[in-house]
């Protein structure tokens, strides 16, 4: 069945979604926009959308069954609930809310008004992430025990790269909300075990108010550690993914997923002890790289993946043909981890629990 979408917040991402959906998602069209900024409404009108200057009018008159909320983060809750109360299905941009309490209210509204609600976690369809999933599912590195996921940029602009509302905490700015919401969602969906410890440190390196660097360590119930890092001023790039299992390692250098390798240990070494190599600092015993006699090097698996699958699934869920892939209960876990990260960073302590 064909569906129509109205967009609340026609900024950079709202416009991008309009373009993606119109050009690439079969069965979905965009019809209307609400944005308080007259310049953005003018751009929307130029692209053939009906622009509204009040949300009430947009919801009362707009011809759509799906609303996408792409405003600054502090408006996600109110805009989503207003749309749901009007009987529209809602896709809300990430981070879906500012905290767990807000998200709980949004989930209650979806139940009350019998509509579908999902967070736009499009990066579950990123190829680099899907490749890591495949390597782990196929057991190519055995049981993973540590996962490093990183998204850094070398933002050399003075004052950093966080601009406008993204640089203010009241508006939901900062990298933990911005990239953390993607990276945490990916890890939770990848590991699929309970988180029992959260440690996080948020810093302001160039941005005066909001966090523009964070490091998070999650410990899962099976002992697996995940380290998630994002910084907007990290001049030397590091691997996007770096994962060790009990039968090998995998790394992916960056988002475009071409550079990387799977290293699988064919067998354990029997002539283990004591191997010594000589370095400028003196002899080093045991801690050297594995040799080709025990290692099998494999290219990264080929994966086909596309962000548009998110909307195809959302529409199929409205039509009762599929279950939602990004379910609000999963978003609730992400939000609980984000809450725990803020708490851990403010207190300097590990937050314990079961998430
Ligand atoms: N899923 C992703 O990969 C992805 C990527 C980029 C941005 N986003 C998300 O999209 C959202 C918007 O980001 P952006 O980069 O487009 O920001 P932006 O500043 O470019 O656009 C925000 C728009 O919202 C409008 N706006 C402000 N207050 C509003 C209100 N109360 N009601 C309706 N509209 C309002 C602004 O006028 C502006 O046009 C954020 O939540 C962000 O996290 C998601």
């Amino acid at each position: 069945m064909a569906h129509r979408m109205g967009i609340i917040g026609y900024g950079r991402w709202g416009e991008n979604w309009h373009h993606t959906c119109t050009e690439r998602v079969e069965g979905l069209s965009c019809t209307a926009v609400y944005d308080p900024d007259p310049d953005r409404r003018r751009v929307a009108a130029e692209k053939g959308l009906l622009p509204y200057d009040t949300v009430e009018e947009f919801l009362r008159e707009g011809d759509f069954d799906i609303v996408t909320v792409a405003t600054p983060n502090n408006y996600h809750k109110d805009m989503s609930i207003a749309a749901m109360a009007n009987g529209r299905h809602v896709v809300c941009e990430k981070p879906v809310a500012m905290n767990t309490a807000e998200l709980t209210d949004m989930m209650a509204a979806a139940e009350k008004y019998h509509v579908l609600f999902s967070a736009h976690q499009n990066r579950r369809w990123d190829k680099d992430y899907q490749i890591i999933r495949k390597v782990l599912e196929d057991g190519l590195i055995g049981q993973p025990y540590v996962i490093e996921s990183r998204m850094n940029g070398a933002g050399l602009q003075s004052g950093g790269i966080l601009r406008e509302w993204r640089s203010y905490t009241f508006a939901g700015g900062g990298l933990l909300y911005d990239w953390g919401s993607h990276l945490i969602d990916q890890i939770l969906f990848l590991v699929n075990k309970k988180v029992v410890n959260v440690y996080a440190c948020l810093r302001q390196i160039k941005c005066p108010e909001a966090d523009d660097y964070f490091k998070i360590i999650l410990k899962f119930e099976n002992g697996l550690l995940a380290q998630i890092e994002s910084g907007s001023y990290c001049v030397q790039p590091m691997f996007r993914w770096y994962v060790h299992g009990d039968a090998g390692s995998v790394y992916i250098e960056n988002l475009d997923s071409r550079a990387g390798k799977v290293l699988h240990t064919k067998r354990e070494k029997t002539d283990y002890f004591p191997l010594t190599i000589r370095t400028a600092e003196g002899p080093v015993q045991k801690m050297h790289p594995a040799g080709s006699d025990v290692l099998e090097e494999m290219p990264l698996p080929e994966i086909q993946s596309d962000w548009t699958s998110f909307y195809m699934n959302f529409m199929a869920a409205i039509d009762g043909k599929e279950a939602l892939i990004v379910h609000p209960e999963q978003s609730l876990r992400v939000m609980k981890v984000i809450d725990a990260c803020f708490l851990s960073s403010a207190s300097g302590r590990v937050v314990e629990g079961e998430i």
Side-chain angles (χ1 to χ4, degrees), residues 34 142 264 289:
Y34 160 59
H264 172 73

Side-chain angles (χ1 to χ4, degrees), residues 11-13 35-36 70-71 73 76 93-94 122 165-166 182:
R12 279 159 290 210
W13 199 246
D35 198 300
T71 62
N73 301 335
H76 286 183
E93 266 308 336
K94 50 54 56 178
N122 49 317
W165 62 268
R166 276 187 174 78
H182 281 307

